[in-house]
Amino acid sequence: MVAAGSKDRLVPFTSKLAFGVGQFAEGVKNTAFGAFVLFYYNQVLGLPGTLAGAALFIALLFDAVTDPMAGSLSDKTQSRLGRRHPFMYASAVPLGLAFIGLFAPPSDLGDWGLFAWLATFAVLTRMAMTLYHVPHLALGAEMTENFDERTRVVAYRQFFAAGGVLTAYCVGYFGFFGDDRGGRVAIDNYLPYALTLAILMVVTIWYSAYGTQKEIPFLSEPAPRLRHNPLTQAVLDMAEAFRNRSFRWLFFGVLVVFIMAGVNSALDIYMFQYFWDLTGAEMGTLQIASVAGLMTGVFLTAPLLRRTEKRFGVLLGTVVWAVCQVMPVVLRLLDAFPANDTAFLVVTLVAFRFVQGLIVQQAFIAFGSMMADVADEHDVATGARQEGIFFGAIAFSHKATSGFGNFIGGLGLDIISWPTGTQIQSAADVPAETIVHLGLLYGPVVAGFSVISVWCYLHYDLTRARHAEILRELNARRRVEPARDPTPT
C-alpha cells in the first residue's frame, strides 16, 4: 500500500534538522573506520596489511547480506513507531559498544588473533550501523516527494555528515593523536578516542530518532509482510530493485567511486605522514579544509541543481574529485609542486582539499536526491514503496569505501613492500622509491577508475520532467489532487 495523499510537501525545519543530525554518527564512524583502523592495526599493532585488509573485507561481505536485509525488513515492519524508527532507536548502543571494541584488542594476540578480533568487531560495528543507517536513509526519502525539497533534505543530511567527519578528524589529529601525546603511533591513544566518538554517535542517533517521530503520519505504509524468510525476501527484493534501469546505473557508478574514495581514505594518513611529511596539526588542517569544502558546498547545491539536472551534480563532483586527487601527486613527481617542510606546501594542499570537498558535495547531495526519485519510479512500476531496499543497496556500496578500500589499500601496501612498526616515523625512514610507489597508488592508479563511474552516470535519464510525470501518475493512482502540505517550515 501507499499513502492516501500526495507527499509533494515542504518538510518542517525541525524535522530536517533532526534527520540531518542523524547522519553525524555515520560521518564519525566512516571517518574513524577509513582513516585510522588500517593504520592502527597495520602500522601500530604490526598486523600485515593483507591480513588487516582481508579482515575488513570479510566485514564487507557481511554487509552484502545485512544491508539489503535491513532495507527489506524495515520496508515491511509494522509498529506504533512506523517502519524506520524502531531500528533507529535499537541500534545506537550496540553500535557504540562494537565501535569501542574495534579499538580495544587485548595485547599479545598474535597476527591471527588480531585478524580474528578485527574481523569480528568490524562485522559487529558495520551490522549495528546498518540497522540504523539504512532505515535512516529510507526515512529521508519518504518525508517528501517534492523534487527540489528532496535536495534540501539531503543537504541537511550531508551537512551533518561533514560535521561528523570534522569531529572525528579534530578529536583525532588535534586531540588524542596530537604530537604532544605521541601522535598516531602511540597505542594508548586509540581507546579513549573510540570511547569519545561512541558516546557522540549514540546521542546523535537517539536525537535523530526522537526529533523525526512527528513525521511518521506522513510516511508511507509498510509494504506487504514478508512472504519468505528475511534472507530470501531480501534477495527477491534486491532482484526487483535491479530491474530498475535508473537504479542499476546509479548503483554501479557510485560503487566504483566509493571504492576509490575508500582506498584514498585508508592511505591518507600514510600520504600525510610519509609522502608529504606533515605534522599532526598540518594533517588536521588538511582534513578540516576538506570538511570546510563539504560544508560550504551544501549551500551551493540547491541553487545549482535548480538550474541543472541532478545528473550534472554527480558528474561534476566525480570529475573534480578525481582531478584534485591526481594533480598534487603528479605535480610532485614532476618536481612542479611546493617542497615538503614549506608553508606554501600546506597552503596549496589546503586549496586542493577545499575545492575537492566543495565540488564533490554536489555529487553527494544530487545522488541522495536521485535515489529518492528512483524509489518513486519503482513505485509507479510496481505499486510498492520500497525505499529501504534501494538505500540498503546504496548503504552497502557506501560502506564499500572502507571495506574494499581498506582491502585494496592493505594489499597495495604489501605489494610496494611498505615498512611497518612504530620506528617508521617519517619519510626519512622509508626508501624513496617506495614513497613514489605510494604516491602513484594513491593518485593516478586509483583515481583513473573514475572514468567507469562517469560512464555509468551518463546512462541515467530520470529527469525533472520525467519525475513530474511520475508524481502525476502516483497522485492519480492515490485518487487525490496534488497539493502542497501546509506544514510551516
Side-chain angles (χ1 to χ4, degrees), residues 24 28 31 36 163-178 181 189-190 192-198 200 284 288:
F24 180 93
V28 164
T31 301
F36 297 115
V165 174
L166 178 64
T167 299
Y169 281 137
C170 286
V171 171
Y173 287 116
F174 294 110
F176 295 105
F177 304 138
R181 298 176 63 118
N189 293 342
Y190 283 87
Y193 173 73
L195 180 61
T196 301
L197 296 190
L200 291 173
I288 288 174

Side-chain angles (χ1 to χ4, degrees), residues 117 247 380:
W117 186 275
F247 174 73
V380 164

